[in-house]
Amino acid sequence: MTVPQTSLHELLARHVPSDDKEREDVARMLAFAKELEQPFSRKQPRAHFTGSAVVVDPAGERVVMVLHGKLNRWLQPGGHSEESDAGGMEATALREAREETGCRVRLHERAPRPLDVDVHSIPARKDEPEHLHLDVRYLVVAEDPESLAHDPNESSGAQWLSWDEALARVDEAPLRRLMEKARAVVRGG
């Protein structure tokens, strides 16, 4: 599969980071986009690109968080790129949001694309060494929020939460930054 590295490079190059950590992450991601032979393949042992999404209801008053099965943490839906995504980070984020929430989703019309980026370490497991996820994050709207259902293969649960409830579950600065950016967009800020 030919990887559209130019579009990935353009996507990252035009992203406007909001703090020093995100600025450093954009630089690291740009370097990995050039360096990795297959940047979207989880077979890359050091790092690979992933996509995730903050999923909000149509009114923007509630947000979905999923209890990650392996990490046992409340996070936004997201995961690995698949060949069917054809290197499109929006496609990865939308597919993952659909799979992990059971809802029909669409990109939020006012949100920057991407909304946020983050490089984070994934701990070693028996079948994988420790590696980096190069996460490209979007804001999406669930068109049918009443359809929320978690896939037991993907997570241990999924819940609609108020913004305050969701932020109370956040356990790291980059996730807080992402959630606060999303809340500002839906509130028109």
Side-chain angles (χ1 to χ4, degrees):
M1 173 176 127
T2 303
V3 175
Q5 291 185 10
T6 303
S7 62
L8 178 60
H9 183 272
E10 289 170 2
L11 178 84
L12 295 169
R14 74 171 184 253
H15 180 67
V16 179
S18 62
D19 62 22
D20 289 341
K21 161 86 166 82
E22 193 175 16
R23 198 171 349 280
E24 291 168 13
D25 288 350
V26 168
R28 290 175 77 189
M29 293 168 93
L30 282 164
F32 274 119
K34 289 179 185 173
E35 173 188 324
L36 295 173
E37 187 176 322
Q38 297 177 317
F40 307 105
S41 173
R42 69 187 303 174
K43 293 178 180 158
Q44 299 285 255
R46 289 182 39 231
H48 47 261
F49 281 84
T50 58
S52 67
V54 175
V55 180
V56 298
D57 67 5
E61 295 173 358
R62 298 179 301 160
V63 60
V64 171
M65 291 192 83
V66 296
L67 183 57
H68 192 284
K70 293 175 183 163
L71 299 175
N72 197 35
R73 295 177 55 215
W74 288 97
L75 302 170
Q76 77 280 13
H80 295 96
S81 293
E82 293 182 0
E83 199 166 322
S84 62
D85 300 333
M89 298 314 304
E90 289 179 3
T92 297
L94 287 166
R95 179 185 47 72
E96 287 288 338
R98 280 190 306 272
E99 289 175 1
E100 294 192 22
T101 67
C103 297
R104 285 189 324 273
V105 295
R106 62 175 166 77
L107 293 167
H108 191 284
E109 59 278 351
R110 292 191 320 269
R113 297 179 186 167
L115 178 64
D116 190 82
V117 301
D118 182 59
V119 176
H120 54 271
S121 181
I122 300 298
R125 293 195 296 267
K126 61 181 177 190
D127 57 340
E128 282 184 325
E130 181 177 345
H131 62 281
L132 297 175
H133 275 185
L134 312 170
D135 200 32
V136 182
R137 301 162 157 190
Y138 294 85
L139 177 59
V140 305
V141 177
E143 296 176 340
D144 55 346
E146 68 285 349
S147 296
L148 180 66
H150 86 281
D151 177 346
N153 296 318
E154 299 284 343
S155 69
S156 299
Q159 293 181 348
W160 282 111
L161 302 168
S162 70
W163 286 102
D164 289 341
E165 290 168 333
L167 285 164
R169 292 187 183 181
V170 169
D171 62 359
E172 64 172 11
L175 180 54
R176 177 168 298 281
R177 180 189 68 221
L178 170 66
M179 298 296 274
E180 289 175 348
K181 283 183 185 181
R183 180 171 60 174
V185 170
V186 300
R187 291 188 173 169

